[in-house]
């Protein structure tokens, strides 16, 4: 009996000392600012698989198919698919917040009927613009274009003097126009207008959605990755050359940003800020109201 007990104690000791299983995860995310938030995951030795894509069609399909462990998606898109029962995911964290700005050719005076070249018709840019337009000091007529790059082209070509842009494209556009002898400047910060309108500092954009059937140990290790992301953002806030160096290494093309220097220059307006969704429920609710959406607490993973 004593021998049996000894064997049992040794077995339990070995079990207690065994390292926890280390999981790897598959990610899907859009290029641009959301990809910047994932830099510390790219740089880690975690061996996660990260796929970056252009546009939201692939992301929408992936949310429905459920093949990826983690998907970074527009929060309204993910919430809509969850609410309709088409996506078996839960919301974990917001990684980027609003970064929309209106720029104008300084040589062209404001008029009551000024045309605004804009992107995102019937999507986030237009809905946010509609929400805050009453708080702006000027009026305009919206002229939609297919993409933010198209708006950039219209402004640089001086076809339009007023345009809605997102960072870092806004700063890249100002620089490109300057090279052509045109001075553009920011005349409206839609995030500041959002705060005036709603009382919230900003509105959520890209967010991390996690497969709903992952186990507790997997969720714990995913949260450790969130900590890496939070710490990385803090390091860039303290020294913006960090993100410039890292983007140069990973390449702007791979991440889908104009350049490392532009991201460094626009960091404070890019609004990459990783926050647990459970801590920002009110801000999320206020934004989702634009889409007549709600996301129950059951569909949000607690911190």
């Amino acid at each position: 009996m004593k021998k049996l007990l000894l064997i049992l104690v040794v077995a339990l000791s070995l079990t207690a000392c065994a390292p926890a299983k280390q999981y790897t995860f598959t990610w899907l995310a859009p290029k641009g600012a959301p990809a910047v938030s994932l830099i510390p995951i790219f740089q880690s030795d975690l061996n996660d698989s990260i796929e970056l894509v252009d546009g939201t069609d692939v992301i929408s399909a992936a949310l429905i198919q459920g093949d990826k462990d983690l998907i970074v998606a527009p929060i309204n898109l993910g919430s809509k698919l969850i609410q309709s029962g088409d996506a078996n995911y839960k919301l974990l964290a917001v990684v980027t917040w609003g970064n929309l700005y209106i720029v104008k050719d300084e040589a062209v005076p404001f008029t009551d009927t000024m045309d605004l070249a804009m992107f995102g018709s019937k999507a986030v840019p237009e809905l946010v613009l509609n929400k805050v337009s009453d708080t702006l000091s000027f009026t305009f007529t919206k002229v939609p274009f297919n993409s933010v790059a198209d708006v950039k082209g219209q402004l640089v070509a001086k076809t339009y003097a007023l345009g809605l842009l997102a960072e870092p494209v806004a700063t890249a556009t100002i620089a490109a126009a300057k090279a052509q002898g045109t001075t553009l400047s920011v005349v409206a910060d839609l995030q500041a207008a959002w705060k005036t309108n709603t009382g919230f500092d900003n509105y959520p954009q890209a967010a991390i959605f996690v497969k709903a059937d992952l186990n507790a140990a997997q969720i714990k290790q995913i949260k450790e990755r969130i900590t890496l992301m939070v710490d990385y953002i803090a390091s860039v806030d303290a020294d913006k050359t960090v993100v410039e160096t890292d983007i140069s290494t990973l390449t702007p093309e791979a991440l889908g940003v104009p350049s490392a220097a532009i991201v460094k220059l626009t960091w404070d307006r890019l609004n990459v800020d990783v926050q647990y969704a459970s801590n920002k429920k009110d801000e999320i609710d206020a934004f989702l109201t634009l889409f007549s959406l709600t996301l129950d607490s059951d569909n949000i993973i607690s911190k």
Side-chain angles (χ1 to χ4, degrees):
M1 178 64 72
K2 290 182 178 180
K3 183 176 181 181
L4 179 60
L5 288 173
L6 179 61
I7 292 172
L8 180 60
V9 169
V10 171
L12 290 172
S13 297
L14 290 173
T15 301
C17 295
K21 178 180 178 180
Q22 294 301 305
Y23 293 95
T24 59
F25 301 98
T26 55
W27 297 69
L28 180 69
K31 293 181 179 181
V36 173
S37 75
L38 296 178
I39 287 175
I41 310 301
F42 278 110
Q43 294 177 326
S44 73
D45 58 1
L46 295 167
N47 295 317
D48 285 2
S49 173
I50 306 173
E51 180 183 356
L52 300 179
V53 297
D54 290 307
T56 59
D57 289 346
V58 174
I59 290 172
S60 179
L63 283 164
I64 294 170
Q65 293 165 359
D67 294 333
K68 301 290 186 179
D69 297 317
L70 300 101
I71 297 178
V72 182
I75 194 168
N76 53 296
L77 173 61
S79 299
K80 179 181 179 180
L81 292 174
I82 290 172
Q83 182 176 291
S84 65
D86 292 321
N88 189 33
Y89 284 82
K90 291 188 176 183
L91 174 61
L92 177 61
V94 178
V95 298
T96 62
W97 301 76
N99 56 6
L100 293 169
Y101 301 87
I102 295 177
V103 304
K104 187 180 78 69
D105 184 339
E106 291 185 358
V108 179
F110 277 112
T111 65
D112 291 340
T113 58
M114 199 164 194
D115 286 336
L116 171 73
M118 58 158 289
F119 71 105
S121 179
K122 300 180 181 178
V124 171
E126 183 173 25
L127 293 179
V128 171
L129 181 63
N130 291 346
K131 177 74 172 178
V132 306
S133 59
D134 288 347
T135 66
L136 302 180
S137 60
F138 53 90
T139 59
F140 50 82
T141 299
K142 295 180 293 186
V143 181
F145 288 88
N146 289 331
S147 70
V148 67
D150 290 337
V151 176
K152 174 185 177 181
Q154 297 296 322
L155 291 167
V156 173
K158 301 188 70 171
T159 308
Y160 288 83
L162 192 68
L164 175 66
L165 296 166
E167 288 289 15
V169 178
T171 295
T173 302
I174 291 171
K178 185 177 181 180
Q180 300 294 324
T182 302
T183 301
L184 299 176
S185 61
V186 174
V187 293
D189 176 340
L190 296 199
Q191 293 61 240
W194 179 267
K195 183 174 183 179
T196 299
N197 191 286
T198 68
F200 294 113
D201 288 338
N202 209 327
Y203 47 94
Q205 288 294 272
I208 297 174
F209 293 88
V210 179
K211 283 186 71 172
D213 56 3
L214 297 187
N215 63 44
Q218 289 172 306
I219 296 298
K220 181 177 183 295
Q221 291 187 21
I222 288 171
K223 289 180 177 179
E224 291 170 358
R225 286 156 169 78
I226 297 298
T227 298
L228 286 178
M229 296 168 72
V230 170
D231 290 346
Y232 181 77
I233 299 304
S235 73
V236 177
D237 287 341
D239 180 5
K240 296 179 180 61
T241 59
V242 170
V243 74
E244 182 179 28
T245 300
D246 292 341
I247 290 175
S248 295
T249 300
L250 292 169
T251 76
E253 294 78 14
L255 295 175
V257 295
S259 72
I262 287 290
V263 173
K264 176 187 175 183
L265 182 64
T266 62
W267 180 256
D268 291 336
R269 297 192 301 276
L270 201 58
N271 292 327
V272 179
D273 185 18
V274 181
Q275 298 275 349
Y276 277 103
S278 58
N279 290 342
K280 295 293 180 178
K281 184 68 166 57
D282 290 342
E283 288 88 336
I284 292 169
D285 288 343
F287 178 68
L288 292 181
T289 298
L290 296 181
F291 303 86
S292 300
L293 292 171
T294 58
L295 197 61
D296 295 337
S297 295
D298 290 345
N299 290 313
I300 299 176
I301 299 172
S302 60
K303 179 178 178 181

